[in-house]
Amino acid sequence: RDFNERCAQCSEVNWGLTDGGRFYCRSCHNVTERTREVVNTDFITNSRVQTISKGLKKQEKNDGGCEWYICEGFQLVLKKQVEALEALGVCPQMKDEILCNFWRRYLQKTKQAYCKRPAGETVKALSVCESSTDVDSDPERPSLLHLLSLSESEGDLLTDCSFASSVSRVSESTSVYSGSVDGSLYLMKNQKEKLRMTMPMTLSFCYLALLWVREPITLSELLRFVVEGHIPYMNVFQHFPEKMKLCGLDLKIFCVESWPVYEEVFNKMHELAAFLDLPRFPDITESCFLHPDMLCMKYLMEANLPDELHNWTCRVVKKIGIGEVDFLTLMPGNKSTRKVKYDVLAAAVIVVVLKLLFLLDDRYEWLLSQFAEERNKNNTEVCMFYSGGPYFEFKKWYEVVKHSLDVEQKKLDEEKAKYLWRCEKPLFYSVKNKCKVLKRRQMVVNLQNQFGKLSGSVQRAEKPNPSSFQLSWSEENTDGSCFHGHSLKGILQEKCGLLRAMNPDYWLCTVKLCNEKLCGHLAHYREVEFPQSYHFVLGLFSFLLRIQPSYIHDEVCMIEHKLFNKKLCKKLKYNTVLRK
């Protein structure tokens, strides 16, 4: 009560005492260097000692590190990621008002902080995972930690972190296999029952916060920024303070050796929202960037398609009701609502519109392209000045986009092949082999520098500034490579005051949808079973979103069944009657 200084991290005045006698903030768990003074009976007569300081624990270990916990590591990762998002232009309120509250709620739900531990609860600490290949074997390693019973002390909130600090004396014997205090406890089997924090889940946290503030960043863009290095994810532990030693089991938690997967981050985000018992998210309205009409406009520009297609995408969105607020808004825990992938949904709408107008059966779109090419040759001046632009040629568009797509795909493959998975900061799995690792690392760096000088290799250029568009097309180009202003009049006809496609036919990707919960997909996609034009369009949007074409194919099938629901019902009834 006598310590009234504000916390340097959160500016709160809410102090408690650790077992070592140091003050810690109950709000953010920041531990200070200040200790509670001991009442000395030599100067005060007829009085007794009220509190006795147990003495400082060994803050610094033999290797110069300090005690730290896994949740602190993930908190630093989230801090670095949200700061990177702020640098990209995200509103600053997302860090303190949204993401911070989500993180505190998660710590409370998982009983890592902001909770009381029942008195007399016994916690059994299991042995370190024997099967882990990341940890070197050592005959001196203890196989089982002692049983520890804990109880509340002097009204302080006892958290899992304070529990870990109380067992630090036992942890010291296993510290060579885990730089953190609770690294081995974190990997216990019973931890899997809770939504255990992982590196992909940090991105789920970020996307959840972005979705709450309705920022114009989709999940595919977020993951692309991660791959391009604009958001810390790979080797992010290099930004940890010097005293937070990372070794042993900590590497299994924080060391990432693969790129984040769209489906995993997306599913974890929904699990997290339900786990935190979050309320209904702010509405996704027509003016919001995540609305299909807005995203379709963006992807039409990036795919170099005519602007007139946007009217058709809006008609499809309105026809099947996927632009409604209740359909788009996230309601955590509501199993009756479908999980919406905003970017994938918009791409699928464009694919359906292209099928409606061009059929994409490897025949009809080429016939339309020949017709448009002849009209453009015969009436170039008329088309340019009186019809609003030349007729859209599918064949020419295919050639231009395919060339750019192949170039960008080759660049992406080369960057992935050249990516250095090993971090600059050397890692070691035990203190025993630390010297060997440091020597080997220094030797490798010296050899790389020497070979670089001999070969005259060029230093890696700085990464370009992030952009929402991977493929850019300018209407100012005179080579005719931009198709934004091209006209669709060659494939449309006016009927009853509305423009309709000249072709009345349409082919469905599948007649009956699969059970998504059982097989994971609404429909199965095999390239050999579909026309090459359809596969090319899926491949284009697959590259733009950095996901598998099968996920876009699923959304296309869902949209088709909503669009042609009445005709499909009649067909199924007719087939049933014929069977009878």
Side-chain angles (χ1 to χ4, degrees):
R1 294 178 181 177
D2 299 332
F3 190 52
N4 297 324
E5 293 184 9
R6 292 187 176 274
C7 176
Q9 187 167 345
C10 66
S11 300
E12 293 288 336
V13 183
N14 187 15
W15 300 102
L17 279 177
T18 65
D19 291 343
R22 287 185 294 174
F23 290 100
Y24 75 93
C25 180
R26 294 177 179 174
S27 300
C28 65
H29 300 282
N30 177 34
V31 181
T32 66
E33 298 296 331
R34 293 285 300 273
T35 59
R36 187 169 182 176
E37 296 180 358
V38 180
V39 179
N40 196 334
T41 56
D42 295 338
F43 300 94
I44 303 176
T45 58
N46 298 327
S47 63
R48 63 175 181 174
V49 178
Q50 295 179 355
T51 59
I52 298 178
S53 176
K54 299 179 182 179
L56 288 176
K57 288 184 182 179
K58 293 182 181 180
Q59 179 193 0
E60 294 192 4
K61 302 178 183 178
N62 296 331
D63 58 352
C66 67
E67 294 179 351
W68 62 281
Y69 310 100
I70 296 298
C71 63
E72 291 179 305
F74 280 116
Q75 185 165 306
L76 283 172
V77 173
L78 287 172
K79 182 175 179 291
K80 293 294 181 181
Q81 290 176 346
V82 73
E83 287 175 353
L85 287 171
E86 287 182 354
L88 294 177
V90 173
C91 64
Q93 291 80 11
M94 193 188 87
K95 176 183 177 182
D96 298 325
E97 298 180 10
I98 308 300
L99 186 60
C100 185
N101 288 329
F102 287 170
W103 178 240
R104 289 175 178 174
R105 195 176 183 89
Y106 172 79
L107 293 177
Q108 185 180 31
K109 285 281 186 178
T110 54
K111 297 183 180 180
Q112 297 183 68
Y114 311 104
C115 62
K116 291 184 178 181
R117 180 177 291 277
E121 180 176 345
T122 301
V123 179
K124 297 182 179 181
L126 300 179
S127 61
V128 179
C129 301
E130 297 285 348
S131 60
S132 175
T133 58
D134 294 338
V135 182
D136 297 336
S137 60
D138 192 343
E140 297 179 359
R141 181 181 60 187
S143 59
L144 188 66
L145 300 181
H146 300 290
L147 298 179
L148 301 167
S149 60
L150 302 172
S151 59
E152 286 184 292
S153 60
E154 298 186 358
D156 290 342
L157 291 180
L158 190 59
T159 65
D160 282 355
C161 291
S162 58
F163 158 64
S165 65
S166 67
V167 299
S168 62
R169 283 166 291 186
V170 181
S171 306
E172 285 175 2
S173 60
T174 59
S175 62
V176 292
Y177 300 99
S178 176
S180 62
V181 175
D182 57 342
S184 57
L185 299 176
Y186 192 81
L187 294 176
M188 290 196 314
K189 292 183 179 180
N190 59 356
Q191 290 286 341
K192 294 182 180 180
E193 299 175 0
K194 301 183 250 184
L195 196 61
R196 190 173 64 180
M197 192 67 185
T198 59
M199 283 300 295
M201 268 188 63
T202 60
L203 300 177
S204 299
F205 263 103
C206 291
Y207 182 59
L208 202 63
L210 289 170
L211 196 58
W212 184 275
V213 295
R214 295 179 293 183
E215 282 288 337
I217 298 180
T218 61
L219 179 55
S220 59
E221 284 180 323
L222 178 67
L223 300 186
R224 179 166 60 85
F225 291 153
V226 169
V227 174
E228 293 176 355
H230 302 296
I231 298 177
Y233 182 76
M234 305 296 296
N235 302 327
V236 68
F237 49 81
Q238 293 184 120
H239 303 289
F240 284 9
E242 190 63 29
K243 290 186 178 181
M244 289 181 63
K245 299 298 181 181
L246 198 78
C247 62
L249 293 177
D250 304 326
L251 301 179
K252 189 174 183 180
I253 299 171
F254 292 101
C255 190
V256 181
E257 297 182 351
S258 61
W259 301 110
V261 181
Y262 185 102
E263 200 69 15
E264 180 184 2
V265 176
F266 179 81
N267 291 334
K268 282 295 182 182
M269 183 271 293
H270 281 274
E271 290 181 27
L272 186 62
F275 178 75
L276 299 180
D277 294 328
L278 296 179
R280 177 187 169 111
F281 275 51
D283 293 343
I284 305 296
T285 59
E286 293 183 358
S287 60
C288 181
F289 176 81
L290 298 176
H291 194 275
D293 291 345
M294 300 288 285
L295 285 176
C296 283
M297 185 184 302
K298 174 185 181 298
Y299 294 138
L300 285 173
M301 293 176 62
E302 194 165 10
N304 199 15
L305 289 166
D307 299 332
E308 294 182 14
L309 285 175
H310 187 246
N311 296 328
W312 285 82
T313 58
C314 293
R315 289 171 64 178
V316 171
V317 168
K318 186 177 181 180
K319 177 75 174 178
I320 60 180
I322 59 175
E324 301 295 329
V325 175
D326 291 337
F327 178 82
L328 296 173
T329 304
L330 175 61
M331 291 181 283
N334 191 346
K335 297 181 179 180
S336 61
T337 58
R338 193 170 186 270
K339 301 175 182 178
V340 182
K341 303 171 183 174
Y342 303 100
D343 40 10
V344 182
L345 181 67
V349 170
I350 297 176
V351 175
V352 171
V353 168
L354 290 177
K355 287 182 66 179
L356 285 169
L357 299 181
F358 299 96
L359 202 57
L360 300 183
D361 63 344
D362 288 344
R363 180 176 174 273
Y364 185 71
E365 63 270 21
W366 306 120
L367 294 176
L368 290 177
S369 183
Q370 292 177 5
F371 170 75
E373 184 179 3
E374 293 176 359
R375 293 290 298 268
N376 288 335
K377 287 182 180 179
N378 297 332
N379 306 310
T380 303
E381 294 183 359
V382 176
C383 289
M384 291 296 291
F385 297 101
Y386 297 100
S387 300
Y391 282 26
F392 176 70
E393 300 179 32
F394 186 89
K395 180 181 178 181
K396 187 177 180 180
W397 170 82
Y398 169 83
E399 293 173 350
V400 170
V401 174
K402 188 177 187 306
H403 174 72
S404 298
L405 188 62
D406 291 341
V407 172
E408 294 297 325
Q409 185 66 54
K410 185 178 179 180
K411 288 182 182 178
L412 180 62
D413 294 339
E414 290 178 353
E415 289 177 359
K416 287 185 176 181
K418 293 178 181 178
Y419 185 80
L420 298 176
W421 292 95
R422 289 191 176 184
C423 61
E424 298 177 359
K425 185 178 181 180
L427 303 175
F428 54 92
Y429 295 94
S430 65
V431 179
K432 185 178 296 184
N433 64 356
K434 177 181 178 181
C435 295
K436 295 180 180 179
V437 172
L438 292 176
K439 288 181 180 179
R440 288 178 182 176
R441 182 61 182 170
Q442 188 62 39
M443 187 183 301
V444 170
V445 172
N446 293 337
L447 289 174
Q448 286 178 343
N449 293 335
Q450 291 176 9
F451 280 111
K453 292 178 181 178
L454 293 174
S455 61
S457 59
V458 182
Q459 295 291 333
R460 296 182 63 184
E462 295 182 0
K463 55 187 177 183
N465 295 328
S467 174
S468 296
F469 293 90
Q470 301 176 70
L471 303 176
S472 58
W473 315 93
S474 176
E475 296 183 8
E476 297 177 358
N477 294 344
T478 57
D479 56 356
S481 59
C482 182
F483 296 87
H484 292 160
H486 287 217
S487 175
L488 298 175
K489 290 185 178 180
I491 59 174
L492 301 177
Q493 59 182 358
E494 188 173 353
K495 188 176 181 181
C496 300
L498 293 175
L499 289 175
R500 300 178 181 270
M502 296 177 60
N503 174 49
D505 299 328
Y506 190 91
W507 59 273
L508 291 172
C509 294
T510 182
V511 178
K512 188 176 181 181
L513 297 177
C514 299
N515 190 336
E516 192 173 10
K517 294 181 179 180
L518 295 178
C519 60
H521 290 277
L522 291 173
H524 295 282
Y525 176 72
R526 296 177 182 174
E527 181 181 352
V528 294
E529 296 178 355
F530 294 92
Q532 287 300 312
S533 297
Y534 176 73
H535 175 69
F536 171 77
V537 173
L538 285 189
L540 171 61
F541 289 105
S542 172
F543 172 80
L544 296 179
L545 303 183
R546 305 290 176 88
I547 60 173
Q548 295 296 325
S550 57
Y551 294 117
I552 305 177
H553 179 73
D554 284 352
E555 296 294 326
V556 169
C557 295
M558 184 272 295
I559 294 173
E560 288 179 345
H561 276 252
K562 286 190 174 186
L563 194 60
F564 302 104
N565 184 36
K566 294 182 179 180
K567 295 182 179 179
L568 283 172
C569 291
K570 290 181 180 179
K571 185 175 181 179
L572 291 175
K573 289 181 180 179
Y574 178 73
N575 292 336
T576 304
V577 172
L578 289 179
R579 289 177 182 176
K580 292 181 178 179

